[in-house]
Amino acid sequence: MIGTAHHADVIIIGAGPAGLSAAHQLNRAGVSVSVLEAAPCVGGRMATHDVDGFRLDHLGPLLSSSCPELGLAPALEGLVLRDFAPGLLVHSEGRQYRTGTIRSARGALRAVRSRSSAPHAPLGGAIEQARLGAALGRLASTPVPRLLARPERTALAALAARGLPSRTVNGFLRPLLSALLSDPALTTSSRVADLALRGYARGRLCVPAGGSSTLPEILAATLPPGTVRTGVHVTAAGITSVRTKEHGELRCRSLLLATGAGAAAELLPGLRIPSFHPVTVLHHTTPAPPPAGTSLLLDADRSGPVSHTAVMSEVDPSRAPHGRSLITSTVLGTPPPDLDRTVRRHLAALYGTSTDDWELLAAHHDPEAVPAMPAPHDPRRPVRMLAGLYVCGDHRDTSTVQGALHSGRRAASAILADLGVREGCEAGAPLTTAA
């Protein structure tokens, strides 16, 4: 039984990436922590479900191998990342084009190239490709503070003002940013969009081996036993105590709300709730995988509901039983009424193959999948409400896994400062990556 005298120095409500990141930093500083999670498992929106041997992500956000927060968490040194093939596949006017990737400013003029010399290729000719490569190279080498100091507008307006041909913008940059930001209209702040493009230019797109839930599961498993308690529903919260359905009142010295924005506002009336970008993820299996390999495939023409898709069993074989294929596709915005039929028809065009024998394993729709970040957007919203009460999550930072982890670290630093405890943060070891 949980005692009710003094349960922990800090109670954290929510066992997603933000709450678990904060728990690690507090634990390393010697502060006792209790993490309460209402769901039966950790991870929040980074959930993964087992269905007949398949590992199916609820949302499946795209990560970048250049994400600094992954390397700053020592607990994640065992995280294995599965990379997509370098560059992307872009579908335009009935054809697929393969792009390269820019790793540094020095390589900026090694232009992004298409497999075809067709005159209407989305990246244009050699000169247009070189201009795109130079623009991505400059972003890759620009310090983050300089990006955050740029004039702010919508991401779409900023793309139009970059001086790149509209064919390059609409055929490559716009579908790429839509996938990275889960925002097909690109109303997101241009500063946030620049950060996303910078991450793409500096690294590779990747996913955690075994599913998105692997990341929060590793964070939870490396905390002291008993720190994280799932299936605990908090009904009321204050600075020095919380009330739960299962265990009554639990006392603490500080409280950190690490839930989604909506749940945090229920416990803390007056907290601003942002608008959201809805996301639907569909998982199909097929006897023979379509010819896309380990690439991420984007639809430049926006000719159907699918924003991006991948043969996930090729990228990460652990997500499907031996001999079976897993195709994961993402629909942004409001899904169409006849979802599976419409998506399979679109996928047939994107992959250039029949989808009549594809089987739908699962479809997950989340109307509050990604907090919107319209301009003006503050990527460092306050995490300290008042002494003893704190809030973290991607809605306090940027609406990414990187933002969630970073907001958790910021909240932990604020708690330790108010408690008068020196931080014991140590440098993280490099990630283990796998192609």
Side-chain angles (χ1 to χ4, degrees), residues 88-91 94-100 112-118 121-124 129 291-293 295 297 350-351:
L88 301 165
L89 279 178
V90 179
H91 186 272
R95 305 183 68 172
Q96 288 183 2
Y97 302 89
R98 183 174 296 280
T99 72
V112 182
R113 302 183 185 279
S114 69
R115 292 190 303 180
S116 170
S117 59
L123 299 180
Q129 294 174 28
S295 297
L297 174 58
L350 294 178
Y351 285 109

Side-chain angles (χ1 to χ4, degrees), residues 206-217:
C206 54
V207 291
S212 293
S213 66
T214 303
L215 187 152
E217 286 169 356

Side-chain angles (χ1 to χ4, degrees), residues 344-357:
R344 281 195 289 118
R345 184 166 57 243
H346 192 194
L347 292 175
L350 294 178
Y351 285 109
T353 187
S354 172
T355 58
D356 292 342
D357 60 349

Side-chain angles (χ1 to χ4, degrees), residues 45-96:
R45 283 168 288 168
M46 293 191 74
T48 304
H49 304 288
D50 286 298
V51 177
D52 297 332
F54 291 91
R55 297 281 291 167
L56 308 180
D57 281 349
H58 182 76
L59 289 178
L62 299 172
L63 305 182
S64 170
S65 60
S66 66
C67 172
E69 285 298 323
L70 297 179
L72 288 173
L76 291 177
E77 60 184 7
L79 179 66
V80 177
L81 298 177
R82 300 294 185 185
D83 294 338
F84 291 93
L88 301 165
L89 279 178
V90 179
H91 186 272
S92 178
E93 298 183 357
R95 305 183 68 172
Q96 288 183 2

Side-chain angles (χ1 to χ4, degrees), residues 374-432:
H377 177 74
D378 181 4
R380 301 292 181 267
R381 293 187 63 200
V383 293
R384 182 186 188 271
M385 302 295 102
L386 51 95
L389 181 60
Y390 311 85
V391 180
C392 68
D394 56 2
H395 53 97
R396 312 304 294 179
D397 212 278
T398 58
S399 303
T400 60
V401 177
Q402 154 88 5
L405 293 170
H406 187 254
S407 74
R409 285 205 304 116
R410 289 199 295 129
S413 296
I415 293 170
L416 293 176
D418 285 345
L419 293 177
V421 179
R422 290 186 59 187
E423 295 191 41
C425 210
E426 55 190 20
L431 285 178
T432 301

